[in-house]
Every structure is written in structure tokens, then in C-alpha cells.
Amino acid sequence: MNPLLREIRHNPLLWLLIFVPAVFAGESLSPDAHTLLFVLSVLAIVPLAALLSHATESVAAKTGDAAGGLLNATLGNLTELVIALAALRAGEYMLVKASIAGAVVTNSLFMLGASFLLGGLKHHVQEYNRASARLQAGLLFLATVALLIPSAVGTIDTAERAVFIHTLSVGLAVLLIVAYGLGLLFSLGTHREFFGSAGHGEDGEAPWPLGLALATLAGVTVLVALVSEVFVESVQKAAEAFGMTPAFVGFIVVALVGAAAEMASAFSGARKNRLDLSVGIALGSASQIALFVAPVLVLLSYVLGPMPMDLQFWPGAVVMILVSTLTATLMTNTGRSAWFLGALMLMMYLIFAMTLYLLPPRAQ
Amino acid sequence: MNPLLREIRHNPLLWLLIFVPAVFAGESLSPDAHTLLFVLSVLAIVPLAALLSHATESVAAKTGDAAGGLLNATLGNLTELVIALAALRAGEYMLVKASIAGAVVTNSLFMLGASFLLGGLKHHVQEYNRASARLQAGLLFLATVALLIPSAVGTIDTAERAVFIHTLSVGLAVLLIVAYGLGLLFSLGTHREFFGSAGHGEDGEAPWPLGLALATLAGVTVLVALVSEVFVESVQKAAEAFGMTPAFVGFIVVALVGAAAEMASAFSGARKNRLDLSVGIALGSASQIALFVAPVLVLLSYVLGPMPMDLQFWPGAVVMILVSTLTATLMTNTGRSAWFLGALMLMMYLIFAMTLYLLPPRAQ
Amino acid sequence: MNPLLREIRHNPLLWLLIFVPAVFAGESLSPDAHTLLFVLSVLAIVPLAALLSHATESVAAKTGDAAGGLLNATLGNLTELVIALAALRAGEYMLVKASIAGAVVTNSLFMLGASFLLGGLKHHVQEYNRASARLQAGLLFLATVALLIPSAVGTIDTAERAVFIHTLSVGLAVLLIVAYGLGLLFSLGTHREFFGSAGHGEDGEAPWPLGLALATLAGVTVLVALVSEVFVESVQKAAEAFGMTPAFVGFIVVALVGAAAEMASAFSGARKNRLDLSVGIALGSASQIALFVAPVLVLLSYVLGPMPMDLQFWPGAVVMILVSTLTATLMTNTGRSAWFLGALMLMMYLIFAMTLYLLPPRAQ
């Protein structure tokens, strides 16, 4: 267990692991202290996500480029998936959808924007390989269209509409997963020479041995699942206590918690003038949520949820996803960046966050 | 008649000409067998469209660059125009509008996407001249705005609104035709050196003598008009028999039938690594439908139709046109292509087709 | 006063100054002749705006690059600001909002399009520095999102909604002003080497002495304010007399009157093959209206207006702003231009103008 302990000693983020037992203790001692449980579970999820992320990359590093890329591409957002599954099983579909939409927006505006800003404050102008940004932006655009269409075809007779939306959602989910698979085939297979090394590994960190990595992957996933249940139970009531709207919680709080570990990598890459890495993590993560996590949740809802979940989003969320995707596409178009680009994207994220924070609850 | 017979012998598509007499026989023998008549008329229109297309290009080849380009630009979608006129005279305005919207979407997503995919499966990376793509994308964007505006300015008092929409539609139709003319002046006149040879002729096919070409043009147009009447009469009832929604028929079936001949040329160009040709046919055809065929139909409806037709489209159709145009613009931005671009565009087309197929009829 | 008189003698536009006393004479003699007062006040504002513009640039030229750029950036649309303030104090919020939206659309479509067309009719292909266009387009896009969001989050309970919209509008106004300031810091400060000399000065015109410039600035601002009051009082009734809708007046007439002086500079730059200058004036002016003038008006409405003004626009106006911004972004993407680009943009402007002209008054 030496490398795991060494990792924990060197990475201050992992000291937060102390909050994992604290969550379980808290839940058995005072199960109604929602605000306390919410804060503890957030503080526990962040280091667990960092461990999951490092374990996934270690397995990927051992299994070679193509298989490793595939693994990263399916397990890279395991934290988000596990949190969403906990919400799905609890029947909290509003929260699931808000966290999907929020993760796409947070990854493509906040994570990318903050990377541009942090990198740009240190380096005057930064250049990066556009190929990966283009691929992910194209996939994101497809996903945005898939989420836009159910709202665009208009409102009709309720009973007929429900059947239509559910059938359409299953069809869209299958199409999105196929498109995601084709994207992997393209970037890891037929045209991998265009994509450089952007997708893999944080430099300077040695991968763990395979056995340790696999054991960590399994054990930590179980821990994330257990903590997520506490998180999902407490988040709505804690939000009320803090005066936050449900939309703000799902969109902003859950998305930031789920993506904290990847953000640490993306920001560190930007400071080291390795923007390829940051852009790859931010947009890759956004398209993975939209084309893999979201459709998998729709399909799993038929097995795990109290009733089927569809892919129809609140119009405001569709607009925000559309704007984020379009912004990320336009901003990564030139392969160059400076601090102002990042500031513009963070401003846009602030506009969304402020709107959701102020929005009266019934309007969502 | 030697070149015409030789063409028929070498082009398997033209063997379908046998269905032209079959349609007329079928209509006089069993005028109520709608499904049979529908299938026969589809099979008859495809080879007639191919003949029309070849005749137009032969005349164009004889009349020199500028006049030939002009001819191609006005008669290149003669099949679509004749089918739409048959629907217009029958007062089937829903079908006319669906087929206009469907032709724009089919040409800019399906034809272009399949060209990228087919070309990309054979060639690793393909390059092409962006000038033509930019021009057509700009024109398409203008047309999209023109179709968007009547829906965007909001709903009002019905009587006033009807007058407003009709006056506005005539104004928009005139503006679109003027813009189309300016585009021709730019690409065939003042700046033709930027547009290469992309627009003209399928290589390897000798043009016919002028007399034969003109006679074919006249004769086949009459045949297409006659078959189109059978097609328009039978399509709705046949669609019901196949379980298709009217929107799906207009958008997808009519658009694919009308564009079959051009698709053959575009796909063959892509396989031969002449993507300039494919992009020119696909986007040129889409912008011709939007800026020439659609406005001409609006103006002709005052003469031929039972009542004036306007340019206000079902909101779902406007969204699909907007997405297609934006996608074609972004995808042709770099002048390079690989199979994955094509796959993405076909996925988007599939999303639209699936939505229209599932849509309950009353929602359209 | 020699330079001021010389300027007036050489610039035929300034002969219109004769209409300034005519407005005041007209108002005291026949205060109900709205059509006459409207025409006189339009003819008086145009030369005053030209004087304001030249005085601002003269002060800017004396105060060095950074301070001068800042001055241009805050006082460059002083005419629009003063007109809008007159309307704000009169409680004409519809007119204020229409003139803001119209100024953004007119600057980014009409002024830019006409510059491309006029330059392109004289020069075959024109090239310009894209950096400035990119910066302004990014800022404009941010502003568009800020104006879009209040409409996108849906309609709800009226009382709650009013509070929400007003709080949100103040927040958005502050964010937009901060973003505008960051844009200035970027283009005049940290990265000014990318922005060339595009923003400053019309060549060939000597700047005035500082004293004269400051005196002109102060005196002419007062005159514009006085004439604007006559203009705002008379415009609505004059519009009825001319058969124009209120939306058309605010969007098109007020915007063209307010921007007449800048247009003269932009068009002259385009004819002299200095498109950098034209693009900088057109897009810089549009983003200044959206990110500085509009938010300042929202904040000032709490002090000067009969009640607070919000940033929620009529959906048709939001669509027009969105289309204009997107068009300007796509059209300035390559850094090259020819007459056809300009013609396309003017066509789009014509579509908007025609729609607003025909729109029944109650629909706005």
C-alpha cells in the first residue's frame, strides 16, 4: 500500500479523506442534521473522486494506449455517474437532470474558462492542439441537438406526448452512445495521430501497480456510492437552509463537487503551459457526461428507477447547454488563448449561476 | 437518339425508366391502389430526375461558363420544383412546406454527411476549396433568418396576423431571390476566380448534343409533372398505410426522392476524392431550394394555388433548418474532412428523422 | 475658434448645424407640429453628433494611448446615451429598449455590412486585422447571452417574476460593465500589441487644441440633450403620421440618427481600404452600447427614471440581436472581405427592417 500512502501524504486534497468516516458517523448519530451531513458528504466526495481518477489513470497507463483511452473514456466521470445513480434510485429526476446539464455547463464554461484564465495570468499567449477540442465540440453539439429536439417539436396532448417523449428518449440515448463510441474509434483508432498525447495522464505522477489500482477503483467506488446516498438525501434540505434554489444546487453545487478532482488536474496543466491537457479534460469530460453518462442513466432508469427517465430538459437548461457548447466551440476555434478568453467564459458562467440563484423555485 | 440510349444502357439507374409507363398504367387500371401508385411513382421519378439533371448539364456545357452556371443554378432542382408545384396546385401547403424544409435539411446534412463519410472511408483525410462552401453557407444562413423571423416576432390577433404574414412573406421572397441573384453575380461574375471548377459537370460523362438535351429537358419535365401528380395524390394515404407521419413523408421521403439524382453525383465525387464537387452540389442545392425554389413557390401560389402560401414554417422545422445550416457552416469551416465528420452529420440527420417518425400527427 | 470654423467649412455635414436653432425656434413657435419638430431635431442631431465625435477624439489624441482609448470607449456613444437618457426621464422605456437593441443591430449589421459593400465596390478583396473584431464579437456574444437569459428562464407568477427580473437586471448590468472594463484592460493594457492602431482617429484630420475640444464636448452635449428632448417628445407622434410602427422608429430611425456620425467615419475608412478602422468603429460601437450604455441606463433608471428599468427585451428583439451578433462573428472570422459579404449583411438588415415596418403595433 506504499504508493497509495505516499500519494496521500503528498496530495493535501487527500487529507480530506478523514471526512469519509465522519459522514458515516454523522449519519448514524444524527440522521436529521441535513446541513451538517451535506457539508461532510461534499468534503468526503472530493478526495474520493481524486482517488478514483488517479486509479482509473493508473489502470489506463498499464493497459496500453487504446484500451487505456477507452477506460478513461468510460470511467473518467465515475463519480458523477455514481452520484446520479443514487439520485436516480431515490426518484429525484429533477436533480439528476439538473446535475447532467450542470456538469456539461460547468465543464465547458467554468473548467475551461478558469484554465484559460489561470494559464493566461502566468503565460502571455498559450497555444494548443485544436484537433481534440474540435472533436469534443462536435460531439457536444450533437448532444445539444439531441437535448434540444424534444423541446423544439412543441407541446401536445399529454398522454400521447408522454409516450412520444419516452420512446424518443430511448432512441436518442442509443444514438448518443453510438456517436460516443464512433468518436473513440476515431480519436483512439483510425485518426489517433491527430490527437497527440492530450488525453492521458498527469505528468510527474507515477502510475500505481495494477493490483493496487484495481482494488482502489473497486473499493473507492463503493465508498462514493455510500457517501452519495447521504449527499442526495441531505442536499435538498441543506439547500433550503442555505437559501439556495433546487436548480442552483443541481446545476452548480453538485456539478462543482463531482468535477473537483478533474479541475485540479486541468488547472495544474494550464499553469504548466500544457493547455492541451486542460482542454482535453474539460471538453472530454463535458462530452462524456452528455453522450455517455446521460444516455446510460436514461437506459438504467428502466431497470433501477421507480419509473423511466426521459431526455427532456427544462428550456432554460437547454439554452444554457446550447450557449456553453457554442461558446466552447467558438473559443477553441483558433488554438490560441489569453487571460481575457477565460475571463469572458467565467463571466458567462457567473450569469448562469446568478440567474439560477435568483430564480423563484416554482419557475424551474 | 444514340447518346440518350447509350446513357440509358450504361447507367443502371435509368433502367428504372420502365416504371414511368407503369405509373400511368397503374393509375388508369386501379386509381385507388395508393400504396402501389406511391411506390411506382417514386421509382419513376428517380430516373427522370437523373435524366433532367444530365440534360441541364449538357445544355450548360454548350452555353459557356456564365450562362451555363446560371442555367444550372435555376434548373438544377427542377424535379423538386415540379413536385412542389403539383402539391401547390392540389392545395397541399403542409406538404409543400415540409418538402422545402426537408430538402434543405436533407441536402445540407444527409447529402453532405454521406459524402464526407463515403469519401472518408476511402481517403484518410480530404481537402477541398472552402470558398464555395462559405458562399452557400452564407446564403443558407440568410434564408434561415428569413424563415425564422415570422415565427420569432410572436403571436397576435389572428386577422391582423394573417395579413402581416402574407405581406411579409412576399417581401421576404423577393429579397431571397435578389440575394440568390447577387450570389450568382459574385460566384460566376465578379469573383469567379475563387470558385474553381467546383460547380460544373460530372467528369467522364460526355455532354449530349444541344438539340437532344433541350428536347429531353422539355419532354422529361412534362413526364415528371405527370408522375408528380400521381405521387402527390398517393403519398399521404400510402404514408398512413406504412405507418409514417405526414411530417416524416414530406421531410424525409419526398426530399430523398427529389434529390436522388444529385446524391449519385455527390457520392461519386466524394469517392473520387473530388470533394469540391460534392460540397458544391450538396450546399448549392440546399441554398437553391431555400433562396430560389421556396420564394418562387410563394410568388406562384398567388397565380396557381387555391390561396396564397406564406413562408411561416412549423417551429420544429425552423429549428431543424437552423441546426442544419449552422452544422454545415461549422463543418465546412476548415476545408478538411474525415469520415467522423460525416458520421456526426448523419447522426444528426437520424435524430431528426427519428423525431419526425415518432411524432404524433396532431403535434405538427 | 479657428479650427472649429475650418472644420465646419470643410465638412458639409456640419452645415446642418443651422437646424439646431431651427429646432428651438420651432418648439417655441408651434409646439404641436410634431412631424416638423421630428424632422428638424433629426437634422440637428446628426451634425451635433459629428462634432461630439470629433471633440472626443481630439481630447483622446492629446491624452495618450491608454487614457485616450478609455475616453473614446466611454464617450464614443455619448449621443446615443444622451438620447436614451431623455427617453428614460420621460419614462419611455419601450423606446429606450428598442433604441438599445436597434443600435446593436444597426452597428453590427448595417454599419459593418455597408462598410464591406462600399469598400468592396472599390477594392476587389480587402484584408484586416481580426484581433479587434474577435474581441468585440466575444463581448457582444456575452451581452447577447445576458439579454437572452431573462427571457429564456420562462414565465412565472407575475409578482415574484417582477422582483426576480429587476434583481437579475441589476446583477447583469454590473457584470456587463465589469466585462467591458476587462475588455479595455486587455485591448489597451496587457495585450495592446495585438490590436494595432485600429481604434483611433480618422486620418487626415488634425486634432483640435485641448481647450477647444473640452469646451465643444461640454457645450455640444448640452445642445444634444436639449434637442433630444424635442426628438423624444415628437418621435412617436411623427411616426404615426409617417405610418411607421413604434418598433420601427426605435429600432431603425433612432439607431440610424444616433450613429450617423460614426457611419461617416466607418464608410470613409472602408473606401480608403482601411477596413481595420471600419470594423473597429462598427463592432466597438455595438459592444459599447450593449456592455456600457445599456447597463448604465439600467442603473441610472433607479435615480432618474419614474421607476426601475430592467434588461428584459421583447423576444423578437432578442432574436435579432442574437442573429446580428452571430452574423458579425461568422463574417469577420476570416479577416478578408468582398462586396458580397456586405450585401448579405445588408439583406439581413433589410429583413429585420421590413419585418418591423410591417408588424402590427400590438404585437410588439
Side-chain angles (χ1 to χ4, degrees):
Chain A
M1 288 291 258
N2 204 10
L4 182 53
L5 289 176
R6 204 186 319 130
E7 176 88 22
I8 291 175
R9 202 171 327 129
H10 281 87
N11 190 341
L13 198 66
L14 297 183
W15 298 353
L16 295 175
L17 283 172
I18 189 74
F19 289 106
V20 178
V23 170
F24 301 127
E27 217 216 347
S28 55
L29 293 177
S30 54
D32 292 327
H34 296 297
T35 310
L36 176 74
L37 288 174
F38 167 74
V39 172
L40 288 176
S41 58
V42 165
L43 291 171
I45 287 176
V46 170
L48 289 173
L51 276 183
L52 264 193
S53 173
H54 195 68
T56 306
E57 302 217 345
S58 295
V59 179
K62 298 284 173 189
T63 51
D65 255 21
L70 197 64
L71 200 82
N72 252 323
T74 44
L75 297 188
N77 281 302
L78 195 52
T79 312
E80 280 87 346
L81 184 59
V82 172
I83 297 179
L85 276 176
L88 190 75
R89 284 176 50 210
E92 296 270 13
Y93 288 2
M94 285 281 293
L95 185 64
V96 177
K97 288 184 183 179
S99 74
I100 292 171
V104 173
V105 171
T106 299
N107 286 320
S108 57
L109 278 188
F110 180 81
M111 202 192 294
L112 191 59
S115 296
F116 282 169
L117 181 61
L118 290 172
L121 290 178
K122 194 159 171 193
H123 308 276
H124 195 61
V125 172
Q126 297 183 290
E127 312 233 338
Y128 55 92
N129 178 5
R130 279 176 295 179
S132 166
R134 285 232 171 98
L135 173 75
Q136 309 295 356
L139 285 170
L140 269 176
F141 190 61
L142 180 73
T144 308
V145 171
L147 301 183
L148 174 73
I149 278 297
S151 312
V153 290
T155 34
I156 24 165
D157 194 61
T158 331
E160 260 183 336
R161 176 158 187 80
V163 175
F164 163 64
I165 289 290
H166 278 108
T167 320
L168 183 61
S169 295
V170 171
L172 291 174
V174 172
L175 276 182
L176 287 178
I177 293 176
V178 170
Y180 188 63
L182 291 175
L184 293 178
L185 177 61
F186 185 68
S187 61
L188 302 173
T190 66
H191 287 63
R192 66 175 166 278
E193 75 273 16
F194 288 100
F195 292 89
S197 59
H200 306 280
E202 292 130 75
D203 77 325
E205 291 179 27
W208 297 340
L210 190 60
L212 172 63
L214 286 175
T216 307
L217 207 52
V220 173
T221 301
V222 173
L223 285 177
V224 173
L226 293 172
V227 176
S228 293
E229 274 183 28
V230 182
F231 177 73
V232 167
E233 268 168 39
S234 62
V235 67
Q236 302 286 22
K237 282 182 184 149
E240 280 170 33
F242 285 120
M244 297 175 193
T245 60
F248 183 82
V249 170
F251 235 81
I252 308 291
V253 177
V254 177
L256 287 175
V257 169
E262 289 142 306
M263 282 184 199
S265 304
F267 297 164
S268 133
R271 299 290 292 174
K272 289 175 192 150
N273 208 8
R274 297 186 54 198
L275 262 192
D276 283 327
L277 195 67
S278 314
V279 174
I281 293 173
L283 294 187
S285 201
S287 70
Q288 192 177 20
I289 298 276
L291 287 103
F292 184 74
V293 174
V296 161
L297 287 169
V298 168
L299 299 180
L300 284 180
S301 74
Y302 283 81
V303 185
L304 299 178
M307 57 178 191
M309 189 176 90
D310 60 51
L311 269 179
Q312 190 175 27
F313 284 75
W314 169 61
V318 174
V319 169
M320 290 182 188
I321 293 177
L322 185 62
V323 167
S324 308
T325 307
L326 202 57
T327 306
T329 306
L330 294 174
M331 293 291 178
T332 57
N333 205 22
T334 58
R336 303 176 79 196
S337 128
W339 68 265
F340 183 67
L341 280 194
L344 264 188
M345 297 177 85
L346 291 179
M347 282 284 174
M348 220 170 270
Y349 189 70
L350 260 180
I351 290 180
F352 293 168
M354 192 173 70
T355 307
L356 293 167
Y357 190 83
L358 294 174
L359 198 62
R362 259 171 307 162
Q364 296 150 29
Chain B
M1 290 292 257
N2 205 9
L4 181 53
L5 289 177
R6 202 187 319 131
E7 175 89 22
I8 291 175
R9 203 173 323 131
H10 282 85
N11 190 341
L13 200 67
L14 296 184
W15 298 353
L16 295 174
L17 283 172
I18 189 74
F19 288 105
V20 178
V23 170
F24 301 127
E27 218 216 346
S28 55
L29 293 177
S30 53
D32 292 328
H34 297 295
T35 311
L36 177 73
L37 288 175
F38 167 74
V39 173
L40 288 176
S41 59
V42 165
L43 291 171
I45 287 175
V46 170
L48 289 173
L51 275 183
L52 264 193
S53 172
H54 195 69
T56 307
E57 302 216 346
S58 296
V59 179
K62 298 285 172 191
T63 50
D65 256 20
L70 198 64
L71 201 80
N72 252 323
T74 43
L75 297 187
N77 281 301
L78 194 52
T79 313
E80 280 87 346
L81 184 59
V82 173
I83 297 179
L85 277 176
L88 191 76
R89 284 175 49 210
E92 297 271 12
Y93 288 2
M94 286 281 293
L95 186 64
V96 176
K97 288 184 183 178
S99 74
I100 291 171
V104 173
V105 171
T106 298
N107 285 322
S108 57
L109 277 188
F110 180 80
M111 202 193 292
L112 190 60
S115 296
F116 282 171
L117 181 61
L118 289 172
L121 290 178
K122 195 160 173 191
H123 308 276
H124 196 62
V125 172
Q126 297 184 292
E127 311 233 340
Y128 55 92
N129 179 4
R130 279 177 294 179
S132 167
R134 285 231 170 98
L135 173 75
Q136 309 295 356
L139 286 170
L140 269 176
F141 190 61
L142 181 73
T144 308
V145 172
L147 302 184
L148 175 72
I149 277 298
S151 312
V153 290
T155 33
I156 25 166
D157 194 60
T158 331
E160 260 184 334
R161 176 157 187 82
V163 174
F164 164 63
I165 289 291
H166 279 108
T167 321
L168 184 60
S169 295
V170 171
L172 291 174
V174 172
L175 275 183
L176 287 178
I177 294 176
V178 171
Y180 189 64
L182 290 175
L184 293 177
L185 177 62
F186 185 68
S187 61
L188 301 172
T190 65
H191 287 63
R192 66 175 166 279
E193 74 274 16
F194 289 99
F195 293 89
S197 60
H200 305 279
E202 292 130 74
D203 76 324
E205 290 179 29
W208 297 339
L210 192 59
L212 171 65
L214 285 175
T216 308
L217 208 52
V220 173
T221 300
V222 172
L223 285 177
V224 172
L226 293 172
V227 175
S228 293
E229 274 183 28
V230 182
F231 177 74
V232 168
E233 269 169 37
S234 62
V235 66
Q236 302 285 22
K237 281 183 185 149
E240 280 170 33
F242 285 120
M244 295 175 195
T245 59
F248 183 82
V249 169
F251 236 81
I252 308 291
V253 177
V254 176
L256 287 175
V257 169
E262 288 143 306
M263 281 185 200
S265 304
F267 298 163
S268 134
R271 301 290 292 173
K272 289 175 192 152
N273 208 10
R274 298 186 54 199
L275 262 192
D276 283 329
L277 194 66
S278 313
V279 174
I281 294 174
L283 293 187
S285 201
S287 70
Q288 192 176 21
I289 298 277
L291 287 103
F292 184 73
V293 174
V296 160
L297 287 169
V298 168
L299 299 180
L300 283 181
S301 74
Y302 283 81
V303 185
L304 299 178
M307 57 179 190
M309 190 175 90
D310 60 50
L311 269 180
Q312 191 176 25
F313 284 75
W314 169 62
V318 173
V319 170
M320 290 182 188
I321 293 177
L322 184 61
V323 167
S324 307
T325 307
L326 202 57
T327 306
T329 306
L330 293 174
M331 294 291 177
T332 56
N333 204 21
T334 59
R336 303 175 78 195
S337 128
W339 68 264
F340 182 67
L341 280 194
L344 263 187
M345 297 177 85
L346 291 179
M347 282 284 173
M348 220 169 272
Y349 189 70
L350 260 179
I351 289 179
F352 293 167
M354 192 173 69
T355 305
L356 294 167
Y357 190 83
L358 294 173
L359 198 63
R362 259 172 306 162
Q364 296 150 31
Chain C
M1 289 293 257
N2 203 9
L4 181 54
L5 289 177
R6 203 186 321 130
E7 176 89 22
I8 292 175
R9 201 172 327 128
H10 281 87
N11 190 341
L13 199 66
L14 297 183
W15 297 353
L16 295 174
L17 284 172
I18 189 73
F19 289 105
V20 178
V23 170
F24 302 126
E27 219 215 347
S28 55
L29 293 176
S30 52
D32 292 327
H34 297 296
T35 309
L36 177 73
L37 287 174
F38 166 75
V39 173
L40 288 177
S41 58
V42 165
L43 291 171
I45 287 176
V46 169
L48 289 174
L51 274 183
L52 263 193
S53 172
H54 195 68
T56 307
E57 302 217 344
S58 295
V59 179
K62 298 284 173 191
T63 52
D65 255 20
L70 198 64
L71 201 80
N72 251 323
T74 44
L75 298 187
N77 281 302
L78 195 53
T79 312
E80 280 88 344
L81 185 60
V82 172
I83 297 179
L85 277 175
L88 191 75
R89 284 176 50 208
E92 295 271 13
Y93 288 2
M94 286 282 294
L95 185 64
V96 177
K97 288 185 183 179
S99 74
I100 291 171
V104 174
V105 171
T106 298
N107 285 320
S108 58
L109 278 187
F110 180 80
M111 202 193 293
L112 190 60
S115 296
F116 283 170
L117 181 61
L118 289 172
L121 290 177
K122 194 158 171 192
H123 309 276
H124 196 61
V125 172
Q126 296 183 292
E127 314 233 338
Y128 56 92
N129 179 4
R130 279 176 294 179
S132 167
R134 284 232 171 99
L135 174 75
Q136 310 295 356
L139 286 170
L140 269 177
F141 190 61
L142 181 73
T144 308
V145 171
L147 302 183
L148 174 72
I149 278 297
S151 312
V153 291
T155 34
I156 25 165
D157 192 62
T158 332
E160 261 183 335
R161 177 157 187 80
V163 175
F164 164 64
I165 289 290
H166 278 107
T167 321
L168 184 61
S169 296
V170 171
L172 291 174
V174 172
L175 275 182
L176 288 178
I177 293 176
V178 170
Y180 188 63
L182 291 175
L184 293 178
L185 176 62
F186 185 69
S187 62
L188 301 173
T190 67
H191 287 64
R192 67 176 167 278
E193 74 274 17
F194 289 99
F195 293 89
S197 60
H200 307 279
E202 291 130 77
D203 77 325
E205 290 180 28
W208 297 340
L210 192 59
L212 171 64
L214 286 174
T216 308
L217 207 52
V220 172
T221 301
V222 172
L223 285 177
V224 173
L226 293 172
V227 176
S228 293
E229 274 183 30
V230 181
F231 177 72
V232 167
E233 269 168 37
S234 62
V235 66
Q236 302 285 21
K237 281 183 186 151
E240 279 169 36
F242 285 120
M244 297 176 192
T245 60
F248 183 81
V249 170
F251 235 82
I252 308 291
V253 177
V254 176
L256 287 175
V257 169
E262 289 142 305
M263 281 185 200
S265 303
F267 298 164
S268 134
R271 299 292 291 174
K272 289 174 192 151
N273 208 12
R274 296 186 56 199
L275 261 192
D276 283 327
L277 195 67
S278 314
V279 173
I281 294 173
L283 294 187
S285 200
S287 70
Q288 192 176 19
I289 298 276
L291 287 102
F292 185 74
V293 174
V296 161
L297 287 169
V298 168
L299 298 179
L300 284 180
S301 74
Y302 283 81
V303 186
L304 300 178
M307 58 178 190
M309 189 176 91
D310 61 51
L311 269 179
Q312 191 176 26
F313 284 75
W314 169 61
V318 174
V319 170
M320 290 180 188
I321 292 177
L322 185 62
V323 167
S324 307
T325 307
L326 202 57
T327 305
T329 307
L330 293 173
M331 294 291 178
T332 56
N333 204 23
T334 59
R336 303 176 79 195
S337 128
W339 68 264
F340 183 67
L341 281 194
L344 264 187
M345 296 177 85
L346 291 179
M347 282 282 174
M348 219 170 274
Y349 189 70
L350 259 180
I351 290 180
F352 293 168
M354 193 173 69
T355 306
L356 293 167
Y357 190 84
L358 294 173
L359 199 62
R362 260 171 307 161
Q364 296 151 30

